[in-house]
Amino acid sequence: GTAAAFDSEGHKANAGIWWYLDFARAHGKPLIVPEWGVAPGSTGGNTTGDNPVFVTKMFEVFQNAHSTSHLAGECYFDDAMGSGNVDSDLINGGNPRSAAEYLRLY
């Protein structure tokens, strides 16, 4: 995924992360993202792969929300590689490019 693809998806009504942030701001509410992560193991075309751009763009969303006091929290979902789920691991050697970007940003 590219930054342009992220932004395109992120602005989709009722589905995109930027849309949700705008909605929260418009209603005087904070944004909380209880679970996010890269998803190379996802099926059905809903996959990011080992994608440091996705990590960077999510960080940008969170920084943007924080800059106007609209970030209540976010949590990276670190799913073990080969677990049969999304394989979002950043801790145990999975997704090394995404893990390096996460460490650089956070």
Side-chain angles (χ1 to χ4, degrees), residues 56-69:
T56 301
K57 295 301 286 183
M58 288 299 288
F59 184 78
E60 287 177 12
V61 170
F62 300 143
Q63 290 295 96
N64 187 294
H66 179 71
S67 73
T68 58
S69 299

Side-chain angles (χ1 to χ4, degrees), residues 29-73:
K29 304 291 183 186
L31 176 74
I32 186 164
V33 179
E35 182 177 296
W36 72 276
V38 296
S42 288
T43 59
N46 187 23
T47 182
T48 62
D50 179 7
N51 187 348
V53 172
F54 182 77
V55 174
T56 301
K57 295 301 286 183
M58 288 299 288
F59 184 78
E60 287 177 12
V61 170
F62 300 143
Q63 290 295 96
N64 187 294
H66 179 71
S67 73
T68 58
S69 299
H70 285 92
L71 182 65

Side-chain angles (χ1 to χ4, degrees), residues 69-100:
S69 299
H70 285 92
L71 182 65
E74 56 94 0
C75 184
Y76 187 89
F77 178 68
D78 198 73
D79 178 54
M81 300 299 287
S83 67
N85 195 3
V86 295
D87 298 334
S88 58
D89 176 55
L90 297 182
I91 297 172
N92 297 303
N95 304 294
R97 295 180 317 126
S98 296

